[in-house]
Amino acid sequence: MSKKELLARALDWTGMNLLARNTPVWNGLIVLNYHRIGDWQNSLFDHDLWSASAEDFEQQLRFLSLNFDLIRIHDLEHVLKQPRGRYVLITFDDGYRDNYEWAFPLLRAYNSPATFFLTTGFLDDRKMAWWDEISWMVRSASKGTLKAEPWFDLELSLEPEQASQTIKSLLQIYKSLPGEQTADFMNALAEATGTGRCPAEIADQVWMDWEMIREMSEAGMDLGGHTVNHPVLANHSEETQQHEVSHCKHRIETEIKRSISAFSYPVGAQHSFNQLTRDCLEQAGYRWGFSYYGGYSSLGDHDPWDLPRIAIESENPAALFRSSVSFPQVFSQKKVYTNTPSPSTLTSE
């Protein structure tokens, strides 16, 4: 058990979490970020993308609705100018079908708004996300080890007990690659694992469709952009960034017949977007950009192109969730990322 988990449990036991919710120990905006809702245990896809079971998500919604002001995107302009208040914005990334099947009914039941950031290419082309396809190749491989020169020098294990660590190593490599090399990397993995690329009929069952999205929009859920193909934007040219940002916005607005103003950066770490990315957002007509490396926004002091979000992860206990929103200044600190190591320096440890 980590030190944060021990502290969170202690705050629950002593009643300090409850005291914090009833006294102004902090003021500001917390943005929670989810990806998938449901059971990951038998899935071949990236297990780290599951944020909560349906039961846990309902408990979290109940807790949030009783203790905080849950807001929508159009509330941000007003909320961030307030002298005090504790506000929570719930967000989802990518466009997974379980968002519609599990999260949406619960959000409606609790009269809670949420924002869904969509990767339009996944919805239109019904293709597998690169992180899920990497996981699928590793977990489907019949070989015992993986070596794919010149992409990395070390040999990675494909044994089931080592699958999670191998997937993390491969994802780290992918994120470090220049944009024009990612397709070759995926093809090399497909050959080295012996699985080939993930069949399209599998990917088709993973994503929402536009009819589902229009239903959620009409029910009061907000939508935002998350690019067309989910690249690490900072690794790409200005032309590619402009297309990923602007075409995504246009595609969503065409389908839902209303404008959108918010965008979340794929991967969302400090090095995954840059000033050019910010400029592209502004030129495309966005008003807000959301990152993904922890932290919360103080009222009156915020960067509209780098609004921080807290990752919600399925392995975190309920006490840690409660502490993260009750004491964000302690439990939701920003993660500082150093330069991503080159593939040849990675280890399998």
Side-chain angles (χ1 to χ4, degrees):
M1 186 179 298
S2 69
K3 292 181 180 179
K4 278 192 174 183
E5 289 180 41
L6 288 171
L7 178 57
R9 290 177 184 271
L11 291 172
D12 256 11
W13 293 334
T14 60
M16 289 299 294
N17 269 337
L18 178 60
L19 179 62
R21 295 192 293 275
N22 294 322
T23 56
V25 298
W26 69 276
N27 286 283
L29 168 69
I30 293 175
V31 185
L32 304 178
N33 185 220
Y34 295 82
H35 284 87
R36 305 199 64 174
I37 301 296
D39 183 10
W40 55 266
Q41 295 189 43
N42 296 316
S43 176
L44 296 176
F45 302 135
D46 188 356
H47 293 178
D48 287 345
L49 267 288
W50 268 268
S51 302
S53 66
E55 294 77 11
D56 287 345
F57 183 60
E58 181 174 12
Q59 291 178 10
Q60 292 167 7
L61 272 180
R62 183 184 301 116
F63 176 81
L64 294 170
S65 63
L66 289 173
N67 292 286
F68 301 94
D69 292 324
L70 299 178
I71 66 168
R72 296 183 58 176
I73 290 292
H74 64 65
D75 297 318
L76 286 175
E77 198 79 55
H78 172 73
V79 161
L80 290 169
K81 294 178 181 177
Q82 297 305 300
R84 63 184 60 86
R86 290 177 292 180
Y87 305 96
V88 173
L89 177 66
I90 297 171
T91 70
F92 288 80
D93 278 0
D94 301 323
Y96 283 102
R97 184 182 290 260
D98 54 59
N99 292 183
Y100 174 81
E101 294 174 338
W102 293 107
F104 178 46
L106 290 169
L107 289 163
R108 284 196 298 185
Y110 283 86
N111 195 29
S112 171
T115 300
F116 296 83
F117 291 106
L118 305 175
T119 307
T120 57
F122 295 163
L123 276 59
D124 287 333
D125 301 334
R126 317 307 287 177
K127 61 185 178 182
M128 190 60 65
W130 46 266
W131 56 90
D132 278 334
E133 186 168 18
I134 288 173
S135 177
W136 179 86
M137 287 190 281
V138 170
R139 297 184 190 280
S140 301
S142 57
K143 300 180 180 181
T145 58
L146 170 66
K147 193 167 185 179
E149 295 179 338
W151 302 101
F152 51 91
D153 298 331
L154 63 151
E155 194 169 72
L156 297 174
S157 173
L158 291 173
E159 297 298 333
E161 61 272 14
Q162 297 297 321
S164 293
Q165 183 55 53
T166 295
I167 291 165
K168 286 181 171 63
S169 295
L170 294 174
L171 292 177
Q172 190 177 13
I173 294 171
Y174 184 101
K175 293 174 188 178
S176 73
L177 293 174
E180 64 274 11
Q181 295 182 15
T182 55
D184 290 340
F185 176 69
M186 295 295 286
N187 289 332
L189 287 184
E191 182 177 354
T193 57
T195 62
R197 299 298 297 265
C198 185
E201 56 268 24
I202 295 178
D204 183 50
Q205 302 303 312
V206 172
W207 306 112
M208 290 189 281
D209 59 37
W210 289 109
E211 184 177 348
M212 297 173 185
I213 289 160
R214 284 190 290 271
E215 180 184 347
M216 293 197 303
S217 177
E218 291 165 3
M221 302 298 150
D222 290 322
L223 301 173
H226 198 49
T227 71
V228 179
N229 299 298
H230 206 288
V232 181
L233 287 168
N235 293 349
H236 288 264
S237 67
E238 178 178 2
E239 180 181 6
T240 298
Q241 291 203 47
Q242 287 177 340
H243 170 77
E244 290 285 340
V245 166
S246 62
H247 186 72
C248 173
K249 187 175 192 290
H250 174 73
R251 187 73 186 90
I252 295 170
E253 291 175 343
T254 298
E255 287 290 345
I256 66 171
K257 310 300 182 188
R258 64 186 67 180
S259 63
I260 63 172
S261 62
F263 182 93
S264 68
Y265 303 108
V267 179
Q270 294 153 311
H271 53 72
S272 63
F273 61 99
N274 52 26
Q275 185 58 48
L276 176 58
T277 318
R278 295 166 176 249
D279 294 342
C280 288
L281 261 63
E282 188 168 13
Q283 292 164 13
Y286 289 101
R287 176 68 183 86
W288 311 102
F290 290 84
S291 55
Y292 183 62
Y293 57 97
Y296 74 105
S297 298
S298 299
L299 300 178
D301 180 23
H302 65 277
D303 179 350
W305 305 119
D306 188 2
L307 293 176
R309 296 189 293 172
I310 300 169
I312 304 302
E313 300 171 339
S314 59
E315 67 268 22
N316 289 343
L320 187 55
F321 175 85
R322 289 190 292 268
S323 294
S324 294
V325 292
S326 299
F327 291 97
Q329 64 273 50
V330 177
F331 289 89
S332 305
Q333 296 175 348
K334 288 187 177 182
K335 301 175 184 177
V336 178
Y337 290 85
T338 57
N339 292 333
T340 303
S342 63
S344 61
T345 65
L346 291 172
T347 69
S348 56
E349 294 179 355

